Amino acid sequence: MVVSEGAKLTAPMRVFPAASPRPTKSHAEVGLHASLAKCQQPWLAFHSLRMRSKDGWEGEGDFVIVNPNAGLLVLEVKGGRVELRDGRWHQNGRALDKAPRDQGLSF
């Protein structure tokens, strides 16, 4: 490998599970899993990460990205046609029960 002077080598992102995403019907999540596996950042990515407290489930993030220098990023992945109509979020013509932002914040 030839590296130009001053260039920084970065490690690929470690994605969990590594081989494939957890079972999902979402083509968007499958595609994002593949894209994150190619990302050249020394971060961690967890697909369908669920969090628990002593009282039970707290939440689930479609993807949780961990950057040791900056913190966590929770991604709620939406595929197909996503739109905001009259103050309500819709996906593929159906109203969502919870806004994507609210889903991420509830993690």
Side-chain angles (χ1 to χ4, degrees), residues 35-52:
S35 294
L36 289 174
K38 297 175 189 173
C39 185
Q40 292 296 309
Q41 293 293 333
W43 303 342
L44 305 174
F46 298 90
H47 176 240
S48 192
L49 184 65
R50 296 178 180 105
M51 300 299 287
R52 286 182 59 115

mmCIF file of all heavy atoms in Angstrom, residues 35-52:
data_model
loop_
_atom_site.group_PDB
_atom_site.id
_atom_site.type_symbol
_atom_site.label_atom_id
_atom_site.label_comp_id
_atom_site.label_asym_id
_atom_site.label_seq_id
_atom_site.Cartn_x
_atom_site.Cartn_y
_atom_site.Cartn_z
ATOM 1 N N SER A 35 -23.619 -0.403 3.841
ATOM 2 C CA SER A 35 -22.875 0.852 3.651
ATOM 3 C C SER A 35 -21.981 1.163 4.839
ATOM 4 O O SER A 35 -20.838 1.597 4.671
ATOM 5 C CB SER A 35 -23.843 2.010 3.415
ATOM 6 O OG SER A 35 -24.527 1.836 2.199
ATOM 7 N N LEU A 36 -22.491 0.953 6.045
ATOM 8 C CA LEU A 36 -21.692 1.231 7.237
ATOM 9 C C LEU A 36 -20.471 0.310 7.301
ATOM 10 O O LEU A 36 -19.407 0.719 7.755
ATOM 11 C CB LEU A 36 -22.530 1.083 8.502
ATOM 12 C CG LEU A 36 -23.582 2.166 8.737
ATOM 13 C CD1 LEU A 36 -24.441 1.815 9.950
ATOM 14 C CD2 LEU A 36 -22.953 3.532 8.895
ATOM 15 N N ALA A 37 -20.619 -0.928 6.842
ATOM 16 C CA ALA A 37 -19.502 -1.873 6.860
ATOM 17 C C ALA A 37 -18.357 -1.402 5.957
ATOM 18 O O ALA A 37 -17.207 -1.788 6.161
ATOM 19 C CB ALA A 37 -19.975 -3.255 6.441
ATOM 20 N N LYS A 38 -18.647 -0.542 4.989
ATOM 21 C CA LYS A 38 -17.625 -0.016 4.079
ATOM 22 C C LYS A 38 -17.052 1.321 4.549
ATOM 23 O O LYS A 38 -16.097 1.819 3.975
ATOM 24 C CB LYS A 38 -18.224 0.180 2.681
ATOM 25 C CG LYS A 38 -18.690 -1.096 2.034
ATOM 26 C CD LYS A 38 -19.383 -0.794 0.727
ATOM 27 C CE LYS A 38 -20.054 -2.024 0.161
ATOM 28 N NZ LYS A 38 -20.863 -1.710 -1.018
ATOM 29 N N CYS A 39 -17.656 1.894 5.569
ATOM 30 C CA CYS A 39 -17.258 3.215 6.058
ATOM 31 C C CYS A 39 -15.872 3.159 6.696
ATOM 32 O O CYS A 39 -15.580 2.268 7.488
ATOM 33 C CB CYS A 39 -18.290 3.693 7.070
ATOM 34 S SG CYS A 39 -18.016 5.359 7.657
ATOM 35 N N GLN A 40 -15.027 4.098 6.357
ATOM 36 C CA GLN A 40 -13.662 4.146 6.882
ATOM 37 C C GLN A 40 -13.558 5.121 8.055
ATOM 38 O O GLN A 40 -12.936 6.164 7.965
ATOM 39 C CB GLN A 40 -12.684 4.526 5.763
ATOM 40 C CG GLN A 40 -12.527 3.468 4.701
ATOM 41 C CD GLN A 40 -11.921 2.183 5.256
ATOM 42 O OE1 GLN A 40 -10.891 2.195 5.909
ATOM 43 N NE2 GLN A 40 -12.588 1.073 5.000
ATOM 44 N N GLN A 41 -14.197 4.763 9.135
ATOM 45 C CA GLN A 41 -14.123 5.526 10.379
ATOM 46 C C GLN A 41 -13.894 4.532 11.512
ATOM 47 O O GLN A 41 -14.481 3.446 11.511
ATOM 48 C CB GLN A 41 -15.409 6.312 10.640
ATOM 49 C CG GLN A 41 -15.665 7.421 9.655
ATOM 50 C CD GLN A 41 -14.643 8.539 9.782
ATOM 51 O OE1 GLN A 41 -14.065 8.766 10.837
ATOM 52 N NE2 GLN A 41 -14.416 9.243 8.699
ATOM 53 N N PRO A 42 -13.078 4.867 12.480
ATOM 54 C CA PRO A 42 -12.802 3.935 13.585
ATOM 55 C C PRO A 42 -13.907 3.941 14.642
ATOM 56 O O PRO A 42 -13.656 4.114 15.828
ATOM 57 C CB PRO A 42 -11.478 4.449 14.143
ATOM 58 C CG PRO A 42 -11.552 5.920 13.907
ATOM 59 C CD PRO A 42 -12.277 6.083 12.584
ATOM 60 N N TRP A 43 -15.124 3.761 14.191
ATOM 61 C CA TRP A 43 -16.279 3.812 15.071
ATOM 62 C C TRP A 43 -16.908 2.432 15.172
ATOM 63 O O TRP A 43 -16.512 1.501 14.490
ATOM 64 C CB TRP A 43 -17.315 4.803 14.550
ATOM 65 C CG TRP A 43 -16.818 6.195 14.352
ATOM 66 C CD1 TRP A 43 -15.684 6.762 14.896
ATOM 67 C CD2 TRP A 43 -17.408 7.208 13.538
ATOM 68 N NE1 TRP A 43 -15.559 8.065 14.490
ATOM 69 C CE2 TRP A 43 -16.602 8.372 13.648
ATOM 70 C CE3 TRP A 43 -18.535 7.263 12.758
ATOM 71 C CZ2 TRP A 43 -16.904 9.550 12.995
ATOM 72 C CZ3 TRP A 43 -18.836 8.437 12.098
ATOM 73 C CH2 TRP A 43 -18.024 9.574 12.226
ATOM 74 N N LEU A 44 -17.937 2.328 15.975
ATOM 75 C CA LEU A 44 -18.719 1.100 16.124
ATOM 76 C C LEU A 44 -20.146 1.395 15.696
ATOM 77 O O LEU A 44 -20.661 2.489 15.950
ATOM 78 C CB LEU A 44 -18.719 0.618 17.575
ATOM 79 C CG LEU A 44 -17.366 0.388 18.234
ATOM 80 C CD1 LEU A 44 -17.553 0.069 19.706
ATOM 81 C CD2 LEU A 44 -16.628 -0.730 17.535
ATOM 82 N N ALA A 45 -20.795 0.425 15.076
ATOM 83 C CA ALA A 45 -22.200 0.565 14.694
ATOM 84 C C ALA A 45 -22.946 -0.693 15.134
ATOM 85 O O ALA A 45 -22.492 -1.807 14.875
ATOM 86 C CB ALA A 45 -22.336 0.762 13.189
ATOM 87 N N PHE A 46 -24.056 -0.501 15.808
ATOM 88 C CA PHE A 46 -24.871 -1.618 16.278
ATOM 89 C C PHE A 46 -26.238 -1.550 15.612
ATOM 90 O O PHE A 46 -26.921 -0.531 15.695
ATOM 91 C CB PHE A 46 -25.052 -1.540 17.798
ATOM 92 C CG PHE A 46 -23.757 -1.650 18.549
ATOM 93 C CD1 PHE A 46 -23.021 -0.511 18.854
ATOM 94 C CD2 PHE A 46 -23.272 -2.884 18.942
ATOM 95 C CE1 PHE A 46 -21.824 -0.604 19.545
ATOM 96 C CE2 PHE A 46 -22.073 -2.987 19.626
ATOM 97 C CZ PHE A 46 -21.348 -1.848 19.923
ATOM 98 N N HIS A 47 -26.631 -2.648 14.956
ATOM 99 C CA HIS A 47 -27.946 -2.701 14.318
ATOM 100 C C HIS A 47 -28.970 -3.227 15.317
ATOM 101 O O HIS A 47 -28.731 -4.207 16.022
ATOM 102 C CB HIS A 47 -27.925 -3.611 13.081
ATOM 103 C CG HIS A 47 -29.278 -3.760 12.453
ATOM 104 N ND1 HIS A 47 -29.895 -4.972 12.331
ATOM 105 C CD2 HIS A 47 -30.130 -2.838 11.943
ATOM 106 C CE1 HIS A 47 -31.073 -4.794 11.756
ATOM 107 N NE2 HIS A 47 -31.237 -3.507 11.518
ATOM 108 N N SER A 48 -30.105 -2.573 15.371
ATOM 109 C CA SER A 48 -31.239 -2.979 16.198
ATOM 110 C C SER A 48 -30.818 -3.168 17.660
ATOM 111 O O SER A 48 -31.102 -4.184 18.278
ATOM 112 C CB SER A 48 -31.864 -4.264 15.643
ATOM 113 O OG SER A 48 -33.097 -4.516 16.263
ATOM 114 N N LEU A 49 -30.156 -2.153 18.188
ATOM 115 C CA LEU A 49 -29.669 -2.218 19.560
ATOM 116 C C LEU A 49 -30.816 -1.917 20.524
ATOM 117 O O LEU A 49 -31.463 -0.873 20.416
ATOM 118 C CB LEU A 49 -28.523 -1.224 19.773
ATOM 119 C CG LEU A 49 -27.875 -1.262 21.147
ATOM 120 C CD1 LEU A 49 -27.179 -2.608 21.375
ATOM 121 C CD2 LEU A 49 -26.886 -0.126 21.304
ATOM 122 N N ARG A 50 -31.045 -2.847 21.417
ATOM 123 C CA ARG A 50 -32.102 -2.687 22.415
ATOM 124 C C ARG A 50 -31.470 -2.417 23.765
ATOM 125 O O ARG A 50 -30.492 -3.036 24.131
ATOM 126 C CB ARG A 50 -32.953 -3.954 22.467
ATOM 127 C CG ARG A 50 -33.690 -4.196 21.173
ATOM 128 C CD ARG A 50 -34.483 -5.488 21.234
ATOM 129 N NE ARG A 50 -35.162 -5.679 19.976
ATOM 130 C CZ ARG A 50 -34.774 -6.548 19.062
ATOM 131 N NH1 ARG A 50 -33.719 -7.313 19.261
ATOM 132 N NH2 ARG A 50 -35.436 -6.661 17.936
ATOM 133 N N MET A 51 -32.075 -1.502 24.498
ATOM 134 C CA MET A 51 -31.567 -1.134 25.823
ATOM 135 C C MET A 51 -32.583 -1.556 26.880
ATOM 136 O O MET A 51 -33.790 -1.450 26.659
ATOM 137 C CB MET A 51 -31.335 0.376 25.912
ATOM 138 C CG MET A 51 -30.327 0.896 24.907
ATOM 139 S SD MET A 51 -28.690 0.197 25.091
ATOM 140 C CE MET A 51 -28.160 1.033 26.569
ATOM 141 N N ARG A 52 -32.059 -2.003 28.016
ATOM 142 C CA ARG A 52 -32.898 -2.424 29.128
ATOM 143 C C ARG A 52 -32.539 -1.646 30.384
ATOM 144 O O ARG A 52 -31.412 -1.219 30.555
ATOM 145 C CB ARG A 52 -32.679 -3.901 29.439
ATOM 146 C CG ARG A 52 -33.264 -4.855 28.481
ATOM 147 C CD ARG A 52 -33.007 -6.262 28.955
ATOM 148 N NE ARG A 52 -33.582 -6.476 30.276
ATOM 149 C CZ ARG A 52 -34.574 -7.309 30.529
ATOM 150 N NH1 ARG A 52 -35.068 -8.027 29.574
ATOM 151 N NH2 ARG A 52 -35.041 -7.447 31.731
#
